[in-house]
Amino acid sequence: MFDHAPEFRSQKEVYCIGLVLWILLLFTAWCFWPAITGPFVFDDFPNLQNLGQLNGRINHESLGYYLYAFLGNPGRPLAALSFLIEDSTWPTLPAAFKRDNILFHLIAGSLVFWLTLSLVKLRNRKIITAPALVALACAAMWLLQPMQLSTTMLVVQRMTILSMIFMLAGLMAYLKILDSARLPEFARVALAGIALALFGTIALLCKENGALIFAYATALNLTLLRERVLGFRPFNRRLLQWGVAAPVLALFVLALIYRDTLSQEYANVDFTLGQRLLTEPRILFQYLGMILLPRIGGQGIFHDDYVASHSLFSPASTIFALIGVLALLCSAVWLRRRNPVYSFAVLWFFAGHLIESTVVPLELYFEHRNYLPMVGPLFALAYLVFAIPRNYRNAAVAVLVIWLGTAALLTRYNAGIWGDRGKLTLVWARQSPNSIRAVQALASFYNDLGDHQLARDTFDAAVVRFPEHKELQFQRVLLDCLDRGVTRDQWQSLVKIAANTRYSRAIPDVVSTFVGEAIGTDRCHGTLRSVDARWLIFSLLANPNFSRDDDTRGYMHYELAKLALADRDLDGLMHQMDLSYAFRPNPLVPREQAIHLLSAGLPDQALHYLDISDHTPIPWPKRWMLDMKTNNLPLRQSAAQMKLQLQRKSTH
């Protein structure tokens, strides 16, 4: 029978622990609070701008368009819906979003306390006489860790926070069900698996990492739960062990099945699959160092300048990091009986990095990837403090208090930086001098201040330092376009650059801004024509680095369609939108075509495109969110009425 349900020696102890936990949560909020005055940054913009799909109105149709706008499938719909707590329009202000992220962080911290309290109870009570102190120490270290600012203050990482909340809830349910003496053994095993699947699915709808709930449960089964699981009857034991591990193994099978697709996606990043696998061990050790030893620098989001490993010895730290990772994993498996807490810490940490730090072609380095994985190492550290012999325990507790005080001071200090856009961009530019994104953020800050010359100087210096990053030249010309206009030489040079530049996801966004200027009233202070924007797009489409990506080609043809619409060229508009749809099928494109055709008095053609819109395949579960047949029904009715009117006119 399990003996790990949280229990206290007296009601007074319950009140004391509860009071300390509340004080800890309030203190954490105080440490983070200066950061809520900070700006939206980085991935906040492409995700939160989807709020514009709602136009301030929340109904079934607008929600469908809003949720469909999020990339991927299922597209993290629960996390996306959570942003409606603060606002339903774009642009908006960041303070409320950041405030609520702090509140979600406190909820997650409370769950860390309760889960780790349950985990301590899995150990011998003679070793740990005060389990609640271990849980409080772990929760305090986790809540106050300076790295957590990267997760909470990057608003869109609410997806990570919510996913963690549901995974922790699922793991707590897993432990609770397995501990239930009232249920037969097989029922406990089955219901525990169902709980993981249910909460894992909910977590998955917040972020794809939700699938890792089974990896975390597997780490528990192999370590802290091992002796208890071995107490089950053979069939139930195997069902529990392999039933929980099967989804983890499925991740490896999926990686093999889609290896060709993964290889193709590496064409748009600056490293190969092999280089990524060589680099991540170095990064994982850096993560561990920052988790266990908080420091004043490094709590940022711009790490695009991280140098990838090109071989086992380039840089030399690669081979040592790789050996270190293998040594940690092997020792964790070897010591899982003699030292299950150490094994749990190691396996939990690596389980949390199975998706984002292995074969998927994501960026190499992001601190928010440690949000839940760091629970493992911090739990082991807290456990060690209270498990060492009494002769040394006071000293260990003193070190823990110093650790917590340092972490709190650093978090409060860094929160002040996060709350000031100017300080934030300057600090990131100093910390990551080779980061293109840090340069772009700094130039954008200067431009928004109205110091256009300093923004130009920032771009000019970066263009000289990073000649291979042609997106900087695009942004430099855009700056002139918005400030004073562009010269013919500037534009012709940019068109030539577009023909052979390497892929950058920043370039399509710049092109879209150019198109907006070309069809607007200002037209870059009268210096940009629609034909200029066309030349630039055609040059990019002729560039194999851009044309090999279907999404980018579809995006570029849609921009050409905007130019055709501005020129009142219906045939050109339809042709470019047909091409856009061909490269990235989106039911909203033929719907838009139908609207233009109705405006031109062509109901038959409009009905044809409405049929295409209705039957465009929409992956699950987005097809439940976006009912195109219902949304298109008013347009069909308008087309039918127009068709009837035209028939009546023709008969007279």
Side-chain angles (χ1 to χ4, degrees):
M1 187 66 61
F2 289 79
D3 181 26
H4 69 265
E7 56 185 74
F8 301 93
R9 286 172 290 196
S10 67
Q11 195 67 28
K12 182 179 179 181
E13 183 181 357
V14 173
Y15 291 141
C16 289
I17 295 299
L19 177 62
V20 173
L21 181 59
W22 272 107
I23 292 172
L24 172 61
L25 295 175
L26 292 173
F27 180 68
T28 301
W30 178 80
C31 289
F32 279 71
W33 204 256
I36 70 169
T37 56
F40 289 122
V41 291
F42 192 40
D43 279 346
D44 288 343
F45 294 101
N47 287 279
L48 295 179
Q49 70 181 9
N50 294 335
L51 289 167
Q53 299 284 341
L54 297 167
N55 292 318
R57 295 176 293 104
I58 299 179
N59 54 46
H60 184 271
E61 183 177 357
S62 65
L63 279 176
Y65 294 141
Y66 168 67
L67 294 173
Y68 186 78
F70 285 86
L71 298 177
N73 186 53
R76 309 175 182 181
L78 287 184
L81 288 172
S82 77
F83 297 130
L84 302 184
I85 296 172
E86 292 86 10
D87 210 339
S88 60
T89 188
W90 183 262
T92 186
L93 299 176
F97 293 88
K98 293 176 181 284
R99 176 204 63 208
D100 291 345
N101 271 17
I102 293 175
L103 296 177
F104 284 123
H105 179 62
L106 299 181
I107 293 172
S110 301
L111 292 176
V112 168
F113 168 79
W114 288 109
L115 178 66
T116 52
L117 182 57
S118 296
L119 297 182
V120 179
K121 301 293 287 186
L122 291 170
R123 304 300 298 138
N124 191 334
R125 282 298 293 266
K126 294 180 180 179
I127 299 175
I128 300 294
T129 57
L133 293 181
V134 178
L136 279 172
C138 181
M141 287 190 289
W142 184 86
L143 281 164
L144 296 170
Q145 226 292 341
M147 291 174 68
Q148 306 292 36
L149 279 167
S150 294
T151 308
T152 53
M153 291 303 111
L154 184 59
V155 170
V156 74
Q157 288 309 322
R158 181 179 299 178
M159 299 171 175
T160 296
I161 301 173
L162 292 177
S163 181
M164 173 178 169
I165 287 173
F166 288 113
M167 281 193 280
L168 288 175
L171 291 167
M172 290 173 63
Y174 178 72
L175 293 174
K176 185 67 175 177
I177 292 170
L178 289 178
D179 187 41
S180 178
R182 293 180 297 177
L183 294 172
E185 191 176 274
F186 175 78
R188 282 189 279 161
V189 170
L191 290 175
I194 291 171
L196 288 180
L198 175 62
F199 282 97
T201 300
I202 298 172
L204 184 70
L205 295 177
C206 297
K207 191 174 182 180
E208 292 76 6
N209 281 21
L212 293 179
I213 191 173
F214 294 98
Y216 290 120
T218 299
L220 280 170
N221 288 346
L222 291 173
T223 56
L224 299 178
L225 279 175
R226 181 178 180 276
E227 292 182 3
R228 274 62 170 197
V229 171
L230 289 176
F232 286 132
R233 288 190 289 272
F235 174 78
N236 293 333
R237 181 175 68 247
R238 287 192 293 270
L239 179 62
L240 180 66
Q241 291 172 329
W242 288 104
V244 171
V248 183
L249 298 175
L251 292 176
F252 291 97
V253 173
L254 286 173
L256 289 174
I257 292 174
Y258 292 101
R259 61 185 182 277
D260 292 338
T261 301
L262 289 173
S263 297
Q264 292 172 5
E265 292 181 0
Y266 272 91
N268 292 331
V269 295
D270 296 331
F271 46 84
T272 65
L273 173 59
Q275 289 171 348
R276 179 179 177 81
L277 293 176
L278 288 173
T279 305
E280 287 301 330
R282 292 167 46 215
I283 294 174
L284 290 172
F285 271 103
Q286 284 187 248
Y287 289 158
L288 281 171
M290 294 179 67
I291 290 168
L292 299 176
L293 296 172
R295 64 197 71 172
I296 195 167
Q299 283 74 46
I301 59 172
F302 295 140
H303 300 284
D304 49 301
D305 57 342
Y306 197 91
V307 179
S309 296
H310 292 84
S311 72
L312 288 173
F313 304 98
S314 176
S317 58
T318 303
I319 184 66
F320 296 108
L322 187 59
I323 292 172
V325 167
L326 293 175
L328 283 175
L329 289 172
C330 290
S331 64
V333 174
W334 180 261
L335 296 172
R336 68 188 187 279
R337 285 182 292 180
R338 284 184 290 174
N339 197 337
V341 173
Y342 164 78
S343 296
F344 163 76
V346 173
L347 295 180
W348 179 282
F349 177 76
F350 284 107
H353 284 282
L354 275 177
I355 291 178
E356 293 180 309
S357 298
T358 53
V359 299
V360 181
L362 303 170
E363 298 204 25
L364 293 171
Y365 189 116
F366 272 124
E367 290 169 9
H368 66 253
R369 293 173 182 169
N370 295 281
Y371 195 64
L372 181 51
M374 75 168 69
V375 169
L378 293 178
F379 172 77
L381 188 60
Y383 187 90
L384 176 64
V385 168
F386 292 95
I388 64 175
R390 290 183 179 273
N391 294 341
Y392 305 100
R393 190 170 299 170
N394 288 339
V397 170
V399 172
L400 174 63
V401 171
I402 293 172
W403 192 103
L404 288 171
T406 303
L409 287 173
L410 291 175
T411 298
R412 176 74 179 187
Y413 174 78
N414 288 334
I417 295 174
W418 274 89
D420 186 314
R421 183 186 176 191
K423 290 181 181 178
L424 193 64
T425 51
L426 289 170
V427 166
W428 286 348
R430 285 197 299 266
Q431 287 183 347
S432 304
N434 296 318
S435 167
I436 301 303
R437 291 188 182 132
V439 170
Q440 293 165 335
L442 186 60
S444 175
F445 171 66
Y446 289 144
N447 186 61
D448 291 346
L449 276 182
D451 195 336
H452 307 301
Q453 186 56 51
L454 191 52
R456 276 191 288 272
D457 292 343
T458 302
F459 272 129
D460 288 341
V463 167
V464 174
R465 290 181 59 210
F466 310 109
E468 70 278 12
H469 288 278
K470 304 299 184 184
E471 66 269 27
L472 293 171
Q473 298 189 44
F474 275 76
Q475 291 167 323
R476 173 65 174 81
V477 174
L478 177 60
L479 184 62
D480 275 349
C481 164
L482 299 175
D483 179 34
R484 61 189 183 189
V486 296
T487 66
R488 289 294 93 199
D489 289 343
Q490 271 185 303
W491 196 258
Q492 290 171 5
S493 175
L494 196 64
V495 170
K496 290 179 182 178
I497 291 171
N500 54 33
T501 183
R502 66 181 186 177
Y503 180 84
S504 168
R505 70 174 187 173
I507 290 178
D509 292 335
V510 174
V511 169
S512 181
T513 305
F514 279 133
V515 169
E517 283 292 311
I519 63 180
T521 56
D522 188 61
R523 296 176 179 265
C524 289
H525 298 273
T527 62
L528 185 65
R529 304 165 297 175
S530 60
V531 67
D532 296 327
R534 280 196 187 86
W535 289 345
L536 183 63
I537 295 174
F538 286 143
S539 185
L540 283 171
L541 288 172
N543 182 341
N545 294 324
F546 279 82
S547 61
R548 67 187 172 204
D549 183 74
D550 284 348
D551 279 344
T552 301
R553 293 183 72 179
Y555 187 89
M556 291 292 101
H557 282 292
Y558 190 82
E559 294 301 317
L560 288 171
K562 290 181 184 177
L563 294 169
L565 177 63
D567 292 341
R568 301 180 182 276
D569 178 6
L570 181 62
D571 290 338
L573 169 68
M574 301 305 292
H575 175 65
Q576 294 300 335
M577 295 191 83
D578 284 343
L579 290 173
S580 178
Y581 180 84
F583 287 114
R584 56 172 194 175
N586 181 331
L588 302 183
V589 172
R591 172 186 166 85
E592 187 177 345
Q593 288 176 280
I595 292 173
H596 292 305
L597 288 166
L598 284 174
S599 298
L602 300 170
D604 288 326
Q605 292 92 322
L607 288 169
H608 168 70
Y609 281 101
L610 288 174
D611 287 338
I612 296 175
S613 177
D614 287 350
H615 295 94
T616 298
I618 301 176
W620 177 92
K622 288 191 173 183
R623 61 174 173 264
W624 293 353
M625 308 171 191
L626 190 63
D627 184 356
M628 290 309 303
K629 290 185 178 180
T630 300
N631 294 349
N632 289 336
L633 187 58
L635 293 176
R636 285 189 175 279
Q637 293 171 343
S638 297
Q641 292 175 0
M642 182 180 295
K643 190 173 180 179
L644 183 61
Q645 291 173 357
L646 291 174
Q647 288 174 348
R648 288 174 178 172
K649 288 182 180 179
S650 64
T651 58
H652 290 295

